[in-house]
């Protein structure tokens, strides 16, 4: 174990030296956009690229605010073997009539944005303009859940997966799998048909658990839900088994076969993904859909907190962490963002930030220790609502106005997507602990509906005006502002 860790670390270190050398020629920032499924990664990346290319007004992004931004454009991405981020297609969705959100991401993709800017210092300006590349990877959020698997062996993963599947919120979805499992003797000789059947039932359970409208974070292995290139591959033919207190299984047993496949999944699928796309990050933004969790009931918040803590624990920089033992980390700036802040009136943004801070307190504290600059903010990469005031019983209520997505409901009201509505989403509690630990959502609590994207504004020349947003400029400043001086 020690030896293999060392060997992997050495290989990664050599890669990093290569990156460092190419960085000297062409300064590059590798920006990690991290987040669970549906947290807003693809929308964030698309909005960031479009708003930089379209020269959006960004008062809190120094380079733009001080007029030093010359131009931004997409370049061929550095890794030929990774597909390109389909920026044009996502833009086509967002600027369609009516506009729609991009589809959920099914495979990995990458993009490189080049920024040309005027240096701040007079003497540097005499040498001409500077250029900074920003490399970003987009991937299905489900895959992020595999990161904690790197620290779990098959026995512990099986134990954990079984425990999670027995939770009241998942028991029903797991029924068929549990029934089959009860008849299995893990010490019996390995049998491919049995392995296949258990893997199928386990996958069906994961899918059903995800389909539960209250579930926010899904359960690993991520490729079971979003296989990408591994669709139909035998690499995914394994499932947890019930060890029933036993720890020693014969080499020819079903248990041993499943354990080997689980380890192979980690070695050949999980590890390379994180090594190739996360290990070399310079900066990271962690997107968290806090509002969706608050919209659900208590297990949703607990579920989100658990998933994020597990993931962020792995990302922890500094000595003796999984991250530093696997890869040589160098992330020196981290932004935590509560996404979709346009679901709230701006008077509530501070409260949303306070809830985000409470939710990620541990992880943020640790990252800080390791010398990384950390910032938490409420953000909407694309603002789908505007603010207004509604009158109810003579009282003026701050509300938001937007097009609720077809199928959304509030109370008895059903929305078909064709009309704009003024909605009073409610106030978040002033004390973040109340939001996170309340026993059950009350009927009068905050209630959020999804909105379709705002109507695109075509420009007279060509293309579209930058997307309205909330605090995208602050996020950019915190992430890359210092690299554009
Ligand atoms: N109102 C609003 N909704 C947003 C915003 N960003 C994302 N959304 C909503 O959240 C959904 C998910 O956003 P994506 O960017 O696709 O999320 P993702 O993290 O890429 O998800 P996966 O690809 O499934 O991992 C979108 O379809 C929108 O409904 C935002 O800034 N404002
Ligand atoms: Mg996506």
């Amino acid at each position: 174990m020690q030896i293999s860790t060392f060997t992997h670390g050495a290989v990664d270190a050599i890669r990093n030296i290569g990156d460092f050398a190419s960085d000297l020629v062409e300064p590059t920032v590798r920006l990690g956009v991290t987040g669970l499924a549906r947290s807003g990664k693809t929308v964030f990346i698309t909005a960031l690229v479009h708003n930089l290319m379209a020269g959006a007004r960004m008062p809190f992004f120094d380079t733009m605010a001080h007029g030093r931004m010359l131009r931004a454009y997409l370049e061929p991405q550095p890794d030929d073997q990774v597909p390109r981020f389909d920026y044009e297609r996502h833009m086509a969705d967002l600027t369609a009539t009516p506009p729609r959100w991009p589809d959920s991401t099914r495979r990995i993709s990458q993009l490189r944005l080049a920024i040309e800017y005027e240096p701040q210092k007079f003497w540097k300006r005499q040498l001409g303009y500077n250029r900074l590349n920003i490399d970003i990877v987009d991937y299905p959020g489900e895959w992020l859940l595999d990161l904690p698997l790197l620290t779990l062996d098959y026995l512990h993963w099986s134990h954990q997966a079984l425990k999670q599947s027995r939770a009241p919120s998942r028991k029903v979805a797991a029924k068929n799998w549990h029934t089959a499992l009860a008849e299995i003797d893990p010490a019996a000789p390995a049998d491919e048909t049995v392995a296949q059947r258990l893997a199928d039932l386990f996958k069906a359970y994961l899918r059903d658990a995800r389909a539960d409208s209250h579930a926010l974070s899904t359960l690993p292995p991520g490729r079971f839900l979003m296989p990408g290139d591994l669709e139909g591959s035998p690499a995914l033919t394994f499932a947890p088994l019930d060890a029933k207190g036993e720890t020693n299984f014969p080499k020819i047993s079903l248990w041993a076969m499943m354990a080997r496949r689980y380890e192979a999944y980690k070695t050949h699928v999980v590890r390379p993904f994180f090594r190739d796309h996360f290990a070399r990050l310079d900066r990271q933004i962690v997107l968290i859909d806090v509002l969706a969790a608050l919209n659900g009931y208590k297990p949703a918040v607990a579920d989100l907190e658990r998933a994020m803590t597990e993931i962020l624990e792995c990302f922890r920089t500094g000595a003796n962490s999984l991250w530093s033992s696997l890869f040589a980390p160098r992330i020196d700036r981290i932004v935590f963002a509560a996404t979709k802040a346009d679901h709230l009136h701006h008077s509530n943004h501070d409260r949303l930030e306070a809830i985000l801070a409470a939710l990620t307190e541990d992880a943020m504290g640790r990252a800080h220790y390791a010398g990384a600059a950390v910032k938490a903010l409420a953000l909407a990469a694309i603002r789908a609502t505007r603010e207004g005031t509604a009158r109810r019983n003579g009282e003026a209520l701050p509300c938001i106005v937007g097009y609720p997505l077809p199928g959304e409901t509030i109370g008895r009201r059903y929305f078909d997507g064709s009309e704009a509505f003024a909605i009073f989403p409610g106030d978040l509690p002033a004390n973040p602990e109340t939001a996170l630990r309340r026993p059950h959502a009350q009927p009068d609590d905050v209630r959020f509906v999804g909105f379709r994207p705002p109507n695109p504004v075509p420009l007279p020349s060509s293309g579209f005006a930058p997307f309205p947003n909330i605090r995208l400029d602050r996020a950019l400043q915190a992430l890359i502002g210092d690299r554009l001086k």
Side-chain angles (χ1 to χ4, degrees):
M1 181 61 202
Q2 273 307 320
I3 291 174
S4 81
T5 306
F6 172 76
T7 324
H8 287 314
V11 172
D12 292 330
I14 292 166
R15 282 167 185 268
N16 285 345
I17 293 168
D19 287 342
F20 180 69
S22 68
D23 244 29
L24 291 178
V25 185
E26 243 179 78
T28 301
V29 169
R30 287 171 200 84
L31 175 61
V33 178
T34 302
L36 297 173
R38 314 311 285 153
S39 58
K41 299 180 292 299
T42 305
V43 169
F44 173 80
I45 299 169
T46 311
L48 178 151
V49 171
H50 179 61
N51 283 15
L52 284 177
M53 293 206 303
R57 226 180 58 80
M58 296 197 189
F60 289 96
F61 180 41
D62 288 352
T63 323
M64 204 69 115
H66 299 159
R68 294 193 292 108
M69 180 87 168
L70 299 177
R71 81 184 172 119
Y73 50 96
L74 287 172
E75 279 274 87
Q77 85 268 20
D79 295 326
D80 287 337
Q81 70 278 21
V82 182
R84 179 174 175 278
F85 179 77
D86 204 344
Y87 170 74
E88 291 75 13
R89 180 153 158 214
H90 302 322
M91 276 302 287
D93 282 332
L94 289 165
T95 54
T97 319
R100 52 180 180 263
W101 298 106
D103 286 340
S104 198
T105 308
R106 307 193 68 85
R107 57 171 198 176
I108 186 163
S109 67
Q110 191 183 47
L111 97 152
R112 167 168 282 186
L113 180 74
I115 296 181
E116 286 174 7
Y117 66 97
E118 251 182 26
Q120 214 170 12
K121 294 225 164 57
F122 173 78
W123 63 267
K124 276 195 188 169
R125 273 203 303 275
Q126 307 315 304
L127 301 172
Y129 66 82
N130 277 3
R131 190 174 120 147
L132 179 71
N133 292 328
I134 309 206
D135 289 351
I136 309 180
V137 165
D138 192 24
Y139 57 91
E142 281 84 356
W143 296 2
L144 196 59
L145 295 160
D146 283 345
L147 183 54
L149 296 189
L150 292 175
T151 57
L152 290 179
D153 62 13
Y154 180 65
L155 178 70
H156 288 97
W157 174 63
S158 284
H159 181 74
Q160 190 188 71
L162 271 167
K163 200 168 143 203
Q164 285 165 339
S165 69
R166 288 179 183 137
S169 54
R170 301 204 178 91
K171 243 175 26 208
V172 178
K175 193 160 168 269
N176 291 343
W177 173 51
H178 284 168
T179 313
L181 204 55
E183 289 163 15
I184 297 289
D185 174 8
D191 177 336
E192 188 57 46
T193 338
V194 174
Q196 183 71 57
R197 194 161 63 89
L198 285 176
D200 287 347
L201 286 166
F202 179 59
K203 263 175 234 172
Y205 147 64
L206 292 181
R207 271 195 300 272
D208 285 358
R210 177 176 59 174
D212 172 2
S213 58
H214 293 303
L216 274 172
S217 71
T218 48
L219 296 168
R223 296 296 194 296
F224 279 32
L225 290 167
M226 256 322 159
D229 299 339
L230 291 177
E231 183 89 62
S233 155
L236 305 185
T237 316
F238 64 91
L241 289 171
D242 191 348
K244 298 179 185 131
E246 190 59 58
T247 47
N248 264 332
F249 291 96
K251 268 211 169 86
I252 53 145
S253 64
L254 181 67
W255 177 278
M257 181 173 86
M258 292 287 205
R260 275 196 304 276
R261 290 183 179 177
Y262 169 78
E263 290 302 330
Y265 175 77
K266 280 165 55 183
T267 310
H268 300 297
V269 179
V270 182
R271 226 194 106 80
F273 171 65
F274 286 103
R275 183 195 59 211
D276 295 346
H277 305 295
F278 285 75
R280 301 172 293 159
L281 298 179
D282 305 294
R283 305 284 158 94
Q284 167 143 268
I285 181 162
V286 181
L287 302 179
I288 306 182
D289 192 348
V290 177
L291 294 178
L294 298 180
N295 221 9
Y297 59 151
K298 195 181 163 224
V301 178
D303 208 30
L304 176 70
E305 203 171 0
R306 176 191 54 78
M308 286 321 296
T309 308
E310 265 177 35
I311 291 162
L312 294 170
E313 176 78 6
C314 297
F315 269 118
R316 196 171 104 193
T317 48
N320 301 327
S321 67
L322 167 78
W323 204 239
S324 48
S325 68
L326 287 177
F327 318 112
R330 57 178 185 191
I331 299 175
D332 56 356
R333 286 185 169 217
I334 304 177
V335 171
F336 288 94
T339 52
K340 312 177 196 178
D342 55 328
H343 286 96
L344 288 172
H345 191 266
H346 77 267
S347 52
N348 268 264
H349 288 164
D350 288 351
R351 292 182 176 189
L352 179 59
E353 281 177 4
I355 296 172
L356 171 73
L359 193 76
T360 54
E361 199 179 349
D362 268 6
M364 283 173 73
R366 287 210 194 93
H368 215 66
Y369 261 101
V374 180
K375 189 175 176 67
L377 48 82
L379 172 137
I382 297 186
R383 180 178 195 153
T385 63
R386 57 189 169 79
E387 297 192 341
T389 313
R391 298 219 147 257
R392 195 163 67 185
N393 305 332
E395 197 192 346
L397 292 175
C399 62
I400 51 170
V401 186
Y403 288 80
L405 289 169
E408 288 284 8
T409 54
I410 293 186
R412 286 210 208 126
R413 181 158 228 163
Y414 175 87
F415 301 102
D416 68 2
S418 67
E419 274 176 280
F421 278 88
I423 289 170
F424 175 64
D427 284 322
L428 292 175
N431 179 352
E433 290 302 315
T434 317
L436 298 176
R437 320 271 169 237
R438 72 209 159 124
H440 289 289
Q442 303 298 317
D444 286 343
D445 266 2
V446 284
R447 174 81 178 88
F448 309 105
V449 296
F451 294 97
R452 72 156 214 229
N455 286 326
V457 180
L459 293 173
S461 46
S462 68
F464 292 89
F467 296 116
N469 63 78
I470 297 170
R471 300 188 188 174
L472 189 59
D473 54 349
R474 289 178 206 251
L476 272 170
Q477 180 62 25
L479 288 168
I480 56 166
D482 64 316
R483 295 291 305 265
L484 295 164
K485 285 201 164 153

